Amino acid sequence: MASWCPIDLAATLAGWVDRELEQFTPWIKPGATTPKSLQRFAELAILYDVLDRSPLDFAVLNDRWRPFLEQHLADPAFGQLARTRLQWAWDLLLPYLILRRRGLRSDYHEATLAHATKAGFPHAAEVIPYRELDHAYFARATGTVDVPQAAFDELLGRTFAARSACRLLLDREATYALTHALLYAGAFGQERVPRDALPNVAAIVDSMTIDCAVHEEYDMLGELLTCGLVLEDCRPDVRALALPIFLQSLDATGSLMPNGRETERSFAACYHTTLVGLILCASLTRMTS
């Protein structure tokens, strides 16, 4: 793409998501889910939350996406799913928590969360540092728990993003840990991260951005670009180089491919990178306006 506007691009990507909305159901068939189907449902809710807080303004968010989420959250079978898996209840009910802050209320889901809390979750679960940050971010973002900034900063300081000083040590797992810590620290591209919180990470993000651009790893590239937007020391010239590469898989369907190796433009292949693209557009609209 020679030239583009993040608002227009976001409208194109959101159009694809809207046309594929039924694919984000948590069910693969009546009464049956998979970890992947539950993840897609939660990711749609996260996307709804990010876009709703961003400068972007799409009618489909509340005309179609929110009713879709509410419909599934009202399904007794979905409620039972969380009630019978208390160790995962806070994760499974993340879409509910996102809409709860916007006025949705369910006595059944509230009771499930109370049972899970009484059982010690989510804090009883053994998780790596960026997952602790994950829980703290969403607890604060959904208004569920008041997480003081000092406590949040302490969790951020334990992550790979805060402790790493060398890009050469990053494998895919480490890069995932780094980008997700930054996504939580920067509210998915909507807030700046103070320089002193992560003193080494900007150079690592720039280096990994170039690496992913060269190897056409579009999904990771989109996350790194969003992370770079919330870091003061990331180089604009790196972003200018990498953005067209991230967008080169966009076609008339309005979807983005995950990498340069994928040949089949299926929902499973495209959905996550398309969501990443929308979050990037929301961040570009916020941070460069």
Side-chain angles (χ1 to χ4, degrees), residues 1 3-15 51 54-60 243 247 250 277-289:
M1 302 179 71
S3 63
W4 56 278
C5 165
I7 297 173
D8 293 340
L9 176 62
T12 298
L13 300 175
L51 296 183
S54 81
L56 296 171
D57 183 18
F58 296 129
V60 292
L243 267 169
L247 296 173
L250 180 69
L278 268 164
I279 290 171
L280 174 58
C281 288
S283 184
L284 282 163
T285 306
R286 171 76 71 190
M287 295 299 171
T288 61
S289 58

Side-chain angles (χ1 to χ4, degrees), residues 57-277:
D57 183 18
F58 296 129
V60 292
L61 288 181
N62 290 301
D63 290 350
R64 284 178 44 78
W65 297 11
R66 177 168 177 165
F68 176 82
L69 293 166
E70 290 185 354
Q71 172 192 342
H72 286 293
L73 290 169
D75 185 346
F78 187 85
Q80 275 292 309
L81 204 63
R83 182 67 64 89
T84 56
R85 295 166 175 80
L86 288 181
Q87 70 273 35
W88 302 115
W90 285 91
D91 295 319
L92 289 169
L93 291 178
L94 177 59
Y96 169 68
L97 293 173
I98 286 170
L99 295 185
R100 181 181 186 242
R101 184 152 199 178
R102 294 166 170 85
L104 183 65
R105 219 65 175 180
S106 162
D107 291 342
Y108 192 88
H109 292 329
E110 292 294 326
T112 297
L113 293 170
H115 290 315
T117 301
K118 188 174 181 180
F121 296 106
H123 302 297
E126 294 279 356
V127 294
I128 56 180
Y130 80 88
R131 287 297 182 197
E132 285 190 89
L133 192 69
D134 174 337
H135 290 150
Y137 168 75
F138 284 112
R140 184 164 68 171
T142 59
T144 309
V145 178
D146 181 18
V147 180
Q149 188 62 45
F152 190 85
D153 290 345
E154 182 183 355
L155 291 174
L156 179 61
R158 298 177 195 165
T159 65
F160 182 83
R163 298 164 69 180
S164 177
C166 179
R167 164 263 181 272
L168 297 177
L169 300 178
L170 267 66
D171 55 15
R172 186 170 185 83
E173 183 178 349
T175 305
Y176 185 92
L178 180 140
T179 57
H180 281 69
L182 279 168
L183 289 172
Y184 304 138
F188 286 84
Q190 293 298 301
E191 298 175 9
R192 295 279 185 194
V193 176
R195 180 184 287 116
D196 58 355
L198 301 168
N200 300 313
V201 77
I204 298 173
V205 167
D206 279 342
S207 179
M208 288 305 302
T209 297
I210 294 170
D211 190 69
C212 286
V214 168
H215 292 95
E216 297 184 332
E217 294 289 349
Y218 306 135
D219 194 77
M220 191 70 75
L221 177 58
E223 292 187 352
L224 286 161
L225 285 166
T226 300
C227 293
L229 283 162
V230 302
L231 298 169
E232 294 179 41
D233 294 333
C234 277
R235 292 169 50 182
D237 58 326
V238 170
R239 181 166 67 245
L241 170 75
L243 267 169
I245 296 172
F246 173 69
L247 296 173
Q248 68 188 10
S249 75
L250 180 69
D251 77 347
T253 68
S255 63
L256 291 164
M257 297 287 270
N259 53 62
R261 302 178 303 279
E262 192 73 39
T263 57
E264 182 183 356
R265 194 175 285 271
S266 64
F267 173 81
C270 294
Y271 93 88
H272 189 267
T273 312
T274 305
L275 268 56
V276 167

